[in-house]
Amino acid sequence: MIVTIAVVTALPVALLVLHASARGAVTRALTLGGAVDLIVGSPLPGGLDTEALRTARATEGVAVAAPVLRERVRVGGHDIWLYGSNLWLRDLGGSLGAAFDERFDGYVDDPSRLFHGVFLGLEAAAQVGVPVGGRLSLRTPDGTTTATELLDVVPGVDLHGERFAFGLLAHTQALVGRDGYDLLLVRARPGVGFGELHSRLSRALAADVVITSPAQQAARATQTLDGIARLLVFVAALVVASGMFLLRGAATLTVTGRLGELATQRALGADRRALLGRFGVEFALLGVVAAPLGVLSGWAVGRAVVADLPWSLVGEAVTEAPAVLPVAAWVIALVLGPLVAVSAALAVLRRALRQAPAAMLRPPPATGLGEPLPGVEGRLAAAAAAATVAGLGLAAGGQAVLDALPPGLVSVLVVGGTIGLTRATRGPLARASTHLLGRGRAAPTLAATGLLRSADRTWASLTVVALGVAIIVAVGGITADLERSVERVLAPVAGVELYVEASPVHRPATAASLPTGLATRVSSLPQVARVTEVTRAGVAAGDGVLELVGVGGPSAHPVFAAARRSDQEAVLAGRRTVLNPDAAALLDVGEGDVVRLPGLPAGGSAGLSVGALVSAPMLASDGVAVVPLDTARSATGGRGPSVLEVVLVPYAGAAEARAELAALVGGAGEVRTGREVLEALSADVSLLTGAVGAVRIVVAVGIAVVLFNLLAATVVERRRELGLLRAVGAPERTVRRAVVLEATAAALVGTVVGVAVGLALQRAAAGTAAELFGLPVASSVDLPAVLAAILVGTGTAAVGAWVAARWVTAAPPLVAVAPR
Amino acid sequence: MTRAAGGDGVVARLEGVVREHSRGQMTVRALDGVDLTVGRGQLLAVVGPSGAGKSTLLHLLGGLDAPDAGRVTVEGADLAALTSRQRAAFRRRRVGLVFQFFHLIPTLSAWENVALPRLLDEVPLRRSRDRACDLLAQVGLGHRLDHTPGELSGGEIQRVAIARALMPDPVLLLADEPTGNLDRDSGRDVIGLLRQAVDDHGTTVVLVTHDEAFAASADRRVRLVDGRVAGSGGTDR
């Protein structure tokens, strides 16, 4: 009971952990940014130099430009983010600026001290345990250890649990042993818009910087995290709804085991309501005891998922999010745990107490399969069965209807429908399970009679397995669908043997370019079959940054490659642009509209018609517009290409070609293989699918534990019956075989039902997954997930039954024949 | 004819048998040096107050339990020397057991419960059906063959249990308070069936009972008090 309640509460807690941590990350991005209009970063290692800072400050329209150095350090065995900046940060405003403004004031009188110490955030101070004025020992990732003074602790900064330290830039640079800084936070003068400032800084700063919009990144982060949360709601609702059924099974076993005690109390005149109340309190206490276990398990799962999230995608100013356990998780667990325990137990108990005390003591009649279910229950089961069949039909053909339903509701409906379906068809299912057994011999005969004549037990076992298997198949299938879809969309990248890059193509666009004419020289190499020029430029649009991707031929850029052939041809002919949904939102246009792209010189292009919107996974830039090469050139003032996509002639030696190309390019750019670019592009995606995959493993393990627990308890509950078999001469082996055969046969049928329901669920979730990743997700059967589900469903049933049967048969048969 | 215990006529023998049970911190000596022989083809009634060790004695004879000291032999075989598997085979083939609390398998019908000992010997149920039906007819349940225990009355369940005990043609039928949960008439029927097993099949029956009237119908009575044989008496029929 306790284990089942803990598993049921764990996933909602994990969901809350993820939600709180993710929200914290977004809020932190805004807090760190404060009143920042732009963030300037560098895609290259080493960060920005003092020249960039000087140039930014000198740029017209810039009110404040504050450099920030960011480094992960270990203090007293704890990971802490160390920020280095200068007093100018206070001029940016925002809650962080305000907090330091207040703190710095106390140290201005003694600047020498200020420059030789750091402040700690409240969270970090609590962990490190060094008093103000004490020495902090810092270790950087490369192993360098330095020490500094703890100047003060900064309370009241809303960083959602992030552990951080803060010092002045020069001192922090000395501590971590590097010059330069990572980010430049920029605020515009009043009246200067985002687009204007972006444009001026783009022109003024070096070519290898990336200029991003914190607002756009926060919006993107919110969208991504909402998608993940939606998927987790779907899974959590599945687990909670199925968990309720599992708890009902556990409660049935508990109540059945205590029927004698209940009957005696009833016979002695105990009031039915008083008994219900007393048992209610007892089960509520079980729920209260299980709730902390659920919180701890959920916290562990949540931490694992949060650690795997690709925070780099959320924005330049966001560091990895620490997992946060919100108070609401405790509240929900402490409410949900007792609630599910009490509701499951009382439902079972109420039914048991409807009987007369004498009837409770009699052996339960075998439930024949030919008997119809009682009136209301029969109608409910039939309705649920019909609803499930209709739902499966919808999943197969009516995706739009399923997409319109909240994911949690879809889960609850499917779980309820599955229970009704197996209830309404328990006869045929039990008969089907007996066909899996051999004939004649003792063990299969006993197993078959058990399956057929303990219809309720058979139904409960196979339904529990069906639900567990369905969840594993669905969650595993969704993850596999995502991975396959990502692979499919990114596949063209691997088709390009070599990339020549001015700046990495998997990072946001910079103004860096390759020399004009390089494409011609490359294409003259004998190993080269085709060279496609691609020009990338980040331009301001609305309050965000749009990446213009100009293609001079059939490009492997994911947005271009995934477009319709007619759109591709129209782009190459200079008539059309292909946008991803983020770009369409930034520009506020849709398919068929004519758009005048930002960043083009006045009097340039009259506008391009918008082709079908194309989704591609986790591109480095949020909004992407693929345009004709000449259009992009106009936006960059006619500079050279950003990237050359090189396709080699058949049988050309890739290594030799790479070496020759690298010699030709010299220091003007980097040469990478398509495989290397693909790995870099998909790294973030695999992190995200990895996070969903972690949920899959946790769900599978949780289900295995609960199934084992419940199925073993079902066997233990029959210890008198099994002991009697031994008393009349059954060898231990025969008893164990009968028990294992019965459990395995029911589990096999349950597995078949579960696989069917799970595949339908997987299809139903395809819409949610597509929304999450912003790419079309084609659902297909994932064999490993199905095999894992079969293994967990049937294997756990068999092992659970065997272990319990061993335990039961180890007891002397006298236990069975002794008076109760 | 008096069926005397001894020589070739002995089916079972207890020699200096001691059996103790732990109940919490306490150890209770259920049997304290019991010597007893059970003659072939005899209905032996074991009587005595509650806690005298009657059921323990029966469990030892049935191979359901083992003595702490002394020897229990059935047809010359020392039960303590048998392996677990051999004891199970002994219970299936040589002994019939009838318990006070109607121990039938709830998912098996009346005739399947009767055929159970042979099924456990890997004989398919259908091959035992005729004999099971015959036995049920003998105990007056020919019309309840396909009913499960939940659909039978207490007396009917106990009669099914007796039919099951007779199924393997046992040398020893052990009945532990078989009338304890039955009304007077049903109890009389059950004792009649046990008597019939002795008279018609030559089965040896050991009957544990509280009821002096039922005990009086036995060939021999043994009284147990505090785990010791306090008296023994025979009845010629």
Side-chain angles (χ1 to χ4, degrees):
Chain A
M1 208 56 194
I2 288 177
V3 171
T4 311
I5 298 169
V7 171
V8 168
T9 50
L11 216 56
V13 168
L15 187 66
L16 279 172
V17 168
L18 177 71
H19 192 258
S21 308
R23 286 278 163 259
V26 174
T27 311
R28 215 166 25 250
L30 298 174
T31 306
L32 287 170
V36 168
D37 295 306
L38 283 173
I39 297 175
V40 179
S42 170
L44 305 174
L48 299 161
D49 56 19
T50 48
E51 181 59 31
L53 178 61
R54 230 187 336 264
T55 309
R57 285 202 182 126
T59 303
E60 191 187 345
V62 171
V64 182
V68 175
L69 183 146
R70 193 176 53 183
E71 187 81 32
R72 194 100 159 146
V73 293
R74 282 184 81 74
V75 183
H78 301 280
D79 278 334
I80 287 177
W81 279 101
L82 174 63
Y83 289 93
S85 189
N86 282 334
L87 291 170
W88 300 295
L89 187 68
R90 65 208 291 192
D91 298 327
L92 290 171
S95 54
L96 187 66
F100 282 108
D101 190 15
E102 188 185 312
R103 291 284 141 180
F104 280 139
D105 276 349
Y107 291 88
V108 168
D109 295 339
D110 185 6
S112 64
R113 190 171 173 222
L114 177 60
F115 278 79
H116 291 90
V118 296
F119 299 88
L120 279 189
L122 205 55
E123 291 272 337
Q127 279 202 330
V128 169
V130 173
V132 171
R135 300 289 289 172
L136 288 171
S137 180
L138 277 61
R139 178 184 285 270
T140 55
D142 65 5
T144 313
T145 303
T146 49
T148 189
E149 182 191 1
L150 171 56
L151 291 173
D152 208 343
V153 174
V154 185
V157 179
D158 184 13
L159 288 181
H160 284 255
E162 175 163 309
R163 296 175 293 276
F164 71 94
F166 190 91
L168 287 184
L169 183 63
H171 182 57
T172 311
Q173 284 172 332
L175 284 174
V176 302
R178 71 176 164 97
D179 296 329
Y181 52 94
D182 301 300
L183 304 171
L184 202 52
L185 307 179
V186 180
R187 198 173 75 183
R189 288 185 189 285
V192 180
F194 170 82
E196 202 178 342
L197 193 63
H198 181 277
S199 164
R200 285 177 189 164
L201 278 171
S202 299
R203 280 197 301 272
L205 290 169
D208 58 358
V209 299
V210 175
I211 304 173
T212 54
S213 153
Q216 185 185 13
Q217 288 179 345
R220 175 66 183 266
T222 308
Q223 191 189 341
T224 305
L225 298 169
D226 280 350
I228 297 171
R230 214 171 132 77
L231 202 60
L232 282 181
V233 164
F234 178 79
V235 177
L238 266 183
V239 171
V240 172
S242 306
M244 287 295 291
F245 183 74
L246 294 171
L247 277 172
R248 181 195 165 281
T252 304
L253 291 175
T254 310
V255 170
T256 306
R258 295 173 66 175
L259 269 183
E261 174 196 338
L262 284 167
T264 307
Q265 291 193 39
R266 287 274 285 148
L268 293 174
D271 181 55
R272 196 168 152 261
R273 276 190 193 165
L275 281 176
L276 284 172
R278 201 160 55 72
F279 267 73
V281 171
E282 205 174 295
F283 280 90
L285 284 175
L286 280 180
V288 170
V289 171
L293 286 177
V295 171
L296 290 178
S297 314
W299 169 231
V301 174
R303 279 176 66 133
V305 173
V306 167
D308 272 354
L309 283 177
W311 296 110
S312 60
L313 294 167
V314 175
E316 293 296 326
V318 178
T319 56
E320 285 169 33
V324 177
L325 180 63
V327 179
W330 281 102
V331 175
I332 286 198
L334 285 170
V335 170
L336 188 65
L339 189 72
V340 294
V342 170
S343 53
L346 290 191
V348 175
L349 200 60
R350 212 173 262 133
R351 179 180 286 194
L353 289 176
R354 269 193 218 121
Q355 306 172 72
M360 289 165 74
L361 288 171
R362 282 180 58 76
T367 41
L369 295 174
E371 298 162 18
L373 290 167
V376 176
E377 192 190 351
R379 280 195 291 276
L380 274 175
T388 307
V389 171
L392 293 178
L394 278 177
Q399 189 68 54
V401 180
L402 284 168
D403 289 349
L405 294 173
L409 183 62
V410 171
S411 301
V412 171
L413 287 177
V414 170
V415 169
T418 306
I419 294 168
L421 181 71
T422 53
R423 186 77 178 145
T425 56
R426 63 189 181 142
L429 291 177
R431 270 187 218 104
S433 61
T434 61
H435 290 308
L436 302 168
L437 302 166
R439 300 273 162 189
R441 297 181 69 84
T445 305
L446 289 170
T449 52
L451 285 168
L452 287 172
R453 295 189 194 145
S454 287
D456 278 345
R457 188 170 73 210
T458 307
W459 166 70
S461 299
L462 72 85
T463 305
V464 160
V465 172
L467 291 173
V469 165
I471 293 173
I472 295 171
V473 168
V475 176
I478 292 164
T479 314
D481 282 347
L482 287 173
E483 285 165 350
R484 271 195 296 271
S485 301
V486 169
E487 278 170 20
R488 199 166 41 244
V489 173
L490 293 181
V493 172
V496 174
E497 277 96 345
L498 294 168
Y499 276 81
V500 182
E501 304 163 306
S503 66
V505 295
H506 69 283
R507 302 291 298 144
T510 69
S513 62
L514 297 166
T516 314
L518 181 64
T520 313
R521 292 206 300 280
V522 170
S523 61
S524 67
L525 292 173
Q527 302 98 319
V528 172
R530 194 184 75 222
V531 177
T532 301
E533 284 187 80
V534 177
T535 290
R536 301 166 70 215
V539 296
D543 60 354
V545 179
L546 176 74
E547 181 172 318
L548 292 180
V549 178
V551 292
S555 168
H557 188 283
V559 174
F560 180 83
R564 294 183 304 211
R565 183 171 285 275
S566 58
D567 281 340
Q568 289 180 345
E569 285 168 357
V571 169
L572 295 178
R575 298 193 309 273
R576 204 170 288 175
T577 176
V578 177
L579 306 179
N580 71 353
D582 283 339
L586 268 178
L587 298 169
D588 194 22
V589 293
E591 186 177 347
D593 288 350
V594 173
V595 60
R596 185 175 163 71
L597 294 162
L600 296 175
S605 165
L608 295 167
S609 71
V610 177
L613 300 186
V614 174
S615 296
M618 297 299 168
L619 293 164
S621 300
D622 301 337
V624 173
V626 180
V627 295
L629 186 62
D630 289 342
T631 307
R633 273 194 182 135
S634 307
T636 60
R639 69 169 191 242
S642 312
V643 183
L644 297 181
E645 296 174 3
V646 182
V647 177
L648 301 177
V649 295
Y651 309 112
E656 292 83 1
R658 181 179 189 167
E660 203 163 335
L661 210 52
L664 187 65
V665 172
E670 291 289 323
V671 179
R672 287 197 293 174
T673 64
R675 182 63 52 191
E676 286 166 352
V677 171
L678 178 66
E679 279 168 12
L681 262 175
S682 55
D684 291 333
V685 183
S686 44
L687 272 175
L688 195 53
T689 52
V692 181
V695 174
R696 164 178 59 181
I697 292 166
V698 169
V699 164
V701 171
I703 286 170
V705 168
V706 171
L707 280 184
F708 181 91
N709 196 29
L710 199 61
L711 295 170
T714 307
V715 175
V716 171
E717 196 263 327
R718 295 168 63 194
R719 61 190 177 279
R720 292 185 76 89
E721 176 194 337
L722 303 176
L724 175 64
L725 279 173
R726 289 200 55 221
V728 296
E732 288 175 32
R733 225 179 95 191
T734 303
V735 176
R736 283 202 295 267
R737 276 195 66 207
V739 168
V740 171
L741 281 174
E742 185 178 331
T744 310
L748 269 172
V749 173
T751 299
V752 172
V753 174
V755 167
V757 173
L759 291 175
L761 260 178
Q762 178 191 343
R763 243 190 110 77
T768 306
E771 196 178 309
L772 164 62
F773 276 78
L775 78 167
V777 176
S779 195
S780 61
V781 177
D782 179 49
L783 208 55
V786 172
L787 290 176
I790 292 171
L791 193 68
V792 168
T794 312
T796 308
V799 173
W802 186 79
V803 170
R806 260 190 85 83
W807 186 75
V808 166
T809 51
L814 264 182
V815 175
V817 299
R820 284 177 192 274
Chain B
M1 182 180 96
T2 301
R3 295 164 197 221
D8 288 339
V10 173
V11 170
R13 190 189 301 276
L14 283 83
E15 297 167 278
V17 169
V18 175
R19 182 71 177 108
E20 292 178 338
H21 299 301
S22 296
R23 287 186 189 146
Q25 300 293 321
M26 269 176 34
T27 300
V28 177
R29 183 163 281 207
L31 293 178
D32 187 5
V34 171
D35 294 305
L36 182 71
T37 52
V38 182
R40 191 177 300 279
Q42 191 179 61
L43 174 57
L44 169 69
V46 181
V47 294
S50 292
K54 305 185 296 292
S55 295
T56 304
L57 184 141
L58 211 67
H59 294 154
L60 291 171
L61 280 171
L64 287 167
D65 200 1
D68 295 312
R71 243 161 65 99
V72 180
T73 52
V74 176
E75 292 201 304
D78 183 353
L79 296 188
L82 301 180
T83 62
S84 166
R85 184 175 289 190
Q86 286 169 330
R87 267 204 301 278
F90 163 75
R91 288 197 295 271
R92 317 201 267 276
R93 294 170 191 160
R94 311 304 290 157
V95 180
L97 292 159
V98 180
F99 305 105
Q100 183 181 358
F101 293 98
F102 322 130
H103 294 298
L104 300 184
I105 302 297
T107 54
L108 297 180
S109 66
W111 80 264
E112 287 166 342
N113 260 296
V114 173
L116 183 62
R118 297 198 60 193
L119 174 68
L120 296 176
D121 249 339
E122 302 300 348
V123 178
L125 275 177
R126 63 179 184 283
R127 281 173 49 193
S128 308
R129 186 182 162 96
D130 289 348
R131 174 156 165 75
C133 293
D134 278 352
L135 285 168
L136 281 171
Q138 284 176 36
V139 298
L141 289 176
H143 61 299
R144 307 284 262 168
L145 300 176
D146 292 315
H147 289 76
T148 57
E151 298 163 328
L152 300 172
S153 71
E156 287 172 329
I157 288 174
Q158 204 58 300
R159 281 189 275 161
V160 175
I162 291 173
R164 184 186 65 194
L166 291 169
M167 183 72 184
D169 255 335
V171 290
L172 196 57
L173 193 156
L174 307 170
D176 188 3
E177 301 274 15
T179 60
N181 270 8
L182 303 179
D183 60 60
R184 195 79 198 157
D185 287 344
S186 300
R188 199 174 296 121
D189 289 347
V190 165
I191 296 298
L193 288 169
L194 295 176
R195 179 82 256 170
Q196 198 181 326
V198 175
D199 294 341
D200 295 354
H201 302 285
T203 309
T204 304
V205 175
V206 179
L207 164 70
V208 164
T209 182
H210 268 106
D211 194 310
E212 293 290 346
F214 290 148
S217 65
D219 301 325
R220 184 178 162 220
R221 288 189 305 281
V222 170
R223 176 170 295 277
L224 283 182
V225 177
D226 292 336
R228 294 199 178 109
V229 177
S232 174
T235 313
D236 288 333
R237 294 190 308 118

